[in-house]
Amino acid sequence: MADTPPPPSPEACARFLEACHFNADGLIPAIAQQHDTGEVLMMAWMNAEAIAETLATGRVCYFSRSRGALWRKGETSGQQQRLVDLRLDCDGDTILALVDQTGVACHTGRRNCFFMAIREDALVPIAAPLVDPDQLYGHNHA
């Protein structure tokens, strides 16, 4: 397990936010990648508040478009993401969060969200759930 980096100074956080190119809704896409294996876990959205909280706490926070609110990864399921490094791409319009994922990353109970692929001319799941979503959320969330 990698050490959690110390939170950046308020000035460094402000510089990071200034470099972000948010869309018209004030959001920027964020890719979560397992820091030690390179596995791409999921894509979600962040706003400035989610980025600032993530940098301050070391626990990854996103913005839920469906709820219209901050979404602290794992607050319902316990499947948290601890921040290892937060990076901005060359255009400033996409974030890469290198994380240490606890459990599964996908709400369907799979390790990652990228489990659908074309096989023999059909779109099929190529990974089975590792955890029943009902156990994670207490209701059908697939």
Side-chain angles (χ1 to χ4, degrees):
M1 179 189 291
D3 293 330
T4 300
S9 68
E11 296 79 16
C13 184
R15 283 192 296 276
F16 188 94
L17 288 169
E18 287 171 13
C20 291
H21 296 282
F22 296 97
N23 68 16
D25 296 322
L27 303 174
I28 189 169
I31 306 294
Q33 182 179 31
Q34 179 64 33
H35 75 97
D36 54 354
T37 65
E39 178 184 16
V40 176
L41 300 169
M42 57 178 276
M43 180 273 174
W45 296 92
M46 290 180 143
N47 63 6
E49 187 179 359
I51 293 168
E53 181 174 315
T54 296
L55 289 170
T57 66
R59 180 175 171 192
V60 182
C61 178
Y62 299 103
F63 182 82
S64 170
R65 294 178 302 161
S66 61
R67 289 181 250 172
L70 292 181
W71 160 40
R72 291 155 188 94
K73 180 70 174 156
E75 65 189 341
T76 304
S77 68
Q79 311 298 293
Q80 297 182 14
Q81 293 175 347
R82 186 181 53 77
L83 182 67
V84 174
D85 200 12
L86 199 64
R87 299 178 182 178
L88 191 60
D89 79 340
C90 58
D91 296 320
D93 61 4
T94 304
I95 289 175
L96 176 64
L98 298 178
V99 304
D100 191 17
Q101 173 71 45
T102 299
V104 299
C106 185
H107 72 278
T108 66
R110 291 169 174 87
R111 174 70 182 164
N112 69 62
C113 295
F114 300 97
F115 60 87
M116 299 297 290
I118 297 173
R119 299 292 186 267
E120 299 178 14
D121 290 330
L123 184 62
V124 298
I126 58 170
L130 301 174
V131 179
D132 182 346
D134 290 345
Q135 291 178 334
L136 294 175
Y137 303 102
H139 63 284
N140 187 352
H141 201 272

